[in-house]
Amino acid sequence: MKAQVESEWRMHMDAIAPFLELIAIHPETGTVVPTHTGAEVISSGEFTPDLLAEKHGITAETIEALYRCAKFRYECGEYEIAADFLKYYRELVPVESEQSLRAVWGKFVADIVATRFEDADKDRDELRGAISRASGMSELQSLQHRSWLLHWSLFVFCNLPQGGKELLIEFFLLDSNLNAITLNCPWLLRYLTAAVLTSKKRHVLTKQLLRILTQESIGYSDPVRDPPSLPTQASRPKTHAAAAAAAVCSCVCCGPPDGSCPGSCAGVLGRARRPIR
């Protein structure tokens, strides 16, 4: 098994050899950084497929080899390297293409399992735009991508050093995302409910939340976001907010830090890090 992995490693590195004049893996940080030549190419605006092919022998096949190498590195557990390779790959493919969408998804997930949550938050915003711009995507496919993005984003919001709760509320209340939640994954309303009820702006947001939950109460019921349990007076929010937060903490993003809960953040990320064989 080890010999096979080493053989594949050499094969992938040989395939992207022309890129290694421009980018290199830093020996101390383990991240991908531009070489002196690469920094000049990037700053001069020459990091384009045509100019790279003309001046550095980087063909379309070499660019696709960079994507395959990033995937291989991810499967080997080298998430930072995978994410960095995909960052450069994305700059060399059409913005509205399937390749670009794959690259943003890959970088987003790699940054999450590498616990680079601030980078992942930037990826989240880029991914939302990439889904909107993707050509040839049906409405059903777009809905599915938005649903996946909402679920994966929970890892980001729950692990940002500050402002995650506010970002969750803002992101979930976007019309396109709220539409995806109500159509495809209404259980995500529990996270929105807990975030609103524990937010400093809950007095402003509760009315909007009640309207959403009342509309969804016919087709879906949840102990966290069940409308009859929601506070309607200023004297009640603390009790329900605490209960809602406790209920959500038992779900996917905020389980025991040791990962003992199958749905905990540590548990789920631990499984995501396992090499794909």
Side-chain angles (χ1 to χ4, degrees):
M1 184 67 179
K2 183 179 179 181
Q4 180 182 354
V5 171
E6 290 177 349
S7 175
E8 287 190 42
W9 185 91
R10 287 193 297 269
M11 177 188 71
H12 285 293
M13 295 306 291
D14 288 345
I16 66 167
F19 269 113
L20 300 182
E21 297 178 3
L22 307 178
I23 55 178
I25 300 172
H26 195 284
E28 296 181 2
T29 64
T31 57
V32 180
V33 295
T35 63
H36 178 71
T37 303
E40 291 181 346
V41 168
I42 293 170
S43 62
S44 65
E46 295 182 357
F47 198 75
T48 64
D50 291 340
L51 291 175
L52 290 179
E54 179 183 340
K55 297 185 177 182
H56 301 279
I58 296 176
T59 63
E61 176 57 31
T62 312
I63 293 172
E64 288 305 309
L66 184 64
Y67 175 84
R68 292 192 294 271
C69 186
K71 182 175 182 294
F72 174 75
R73 292 281 189 161
Y74 180 91
E75 292 171 350
C76 290
E78 298 176 328
Y79 308 112
E80 293 90 346
I81 295 175
D84 292 340
F85 277 168
L86 289 171
K87 178 184 71 174
Y88 290 107
Y89 171 80
R90 187 177 178 235
E91 294 181 19
L92 298 172
V93 295
V95 174
E96 298 180 0
S97 65
E98 182 183 349
Q99 295 99 312
S100 178
L101 183 60
R102 285 186 315 180
V104 187
W105 262 117
K107 186 176 186 303
F108 179 52
V109 173
D111 279 332
I112 288 175
V113 295
T115 66
R116 301 198 302 190
F117 295 109
E118 292 182 346
D119 289 338
D121 189 45
K122 297 176 184 177
D123 300 334
R124 172 187 62 83
D125 194 47
E126 291 186 14
L127 186 51
R128 174 175 166 257
I131 294 171
S132 300
R133 292 190 301 267
S135 58
M137 185 182 293
S138 68
E139 291 185 6
L140 180 59
Q141 290 172 322
S142 178
L143 174 64
Q144 192 62 61
H145 276 278
R146 292 186 191 282
S147 302
W148 290 334
L149 177 57
L150 287 160
H151 284 81
W152 276 97
S153 294
L154 290 172
F155 291 112
V156 179
F157 298 136
C158 290
N159 287 282
L160 285 173
Q162 57 184 5
K165 187 190 303 180
E166 290 71 24
L167 286 173
L168 184 153
I169 295 170
E170 179 185 351
F171 192 59
F172 276 37
L173 287 179
L174 290 173
D175 288 343
S176 57
N177 290 339
L178 192 56
N179 183 57
I181 290 172
T182 56
L183 287 175
N184 208 33
C185 40
W187 48 87
L188 291 182
L189 288 172
R190 69 181 64 170
Y191 299 96
L192 178 60
T193 301
V196 167
L197 294 178
T198 56
S199 170
K200 294 179 180 179
K201 298 181 180 179
R202 60 178 174 268
H203 300 298
V204 178
L205 296 167
T206 298
K207 183 178 292 187
Q208 182 181 3
L209 178 65
L210 275 169
R211 185 172 63 252
I212 295 168
L213 298 185
T214 301
Q215 291 172 350
E216 292 303 306
S217 62
I218 298 175
Y220 181 76
S221 179
D222 187 292
V224 175
R225 46 114 290 174
D226 197 15
S229 301
L230 285 172
T232 56
Q233 300 176 3
S235 61
R236 296 176 57 191
K238 289 185 179 179
T239 302
H240 186 77
V248 171
C249 282
S250 69
C251 298
V252 65
C253 280
C254 304
D258 61 359
S260 58
C261 171
S264 70
C265 185
V268 174
L269 290 183
R271 291 191 294 278
R273 291 189 182 103
R274 293 176 185 170
I276 299 173
R277 293 185 174 86

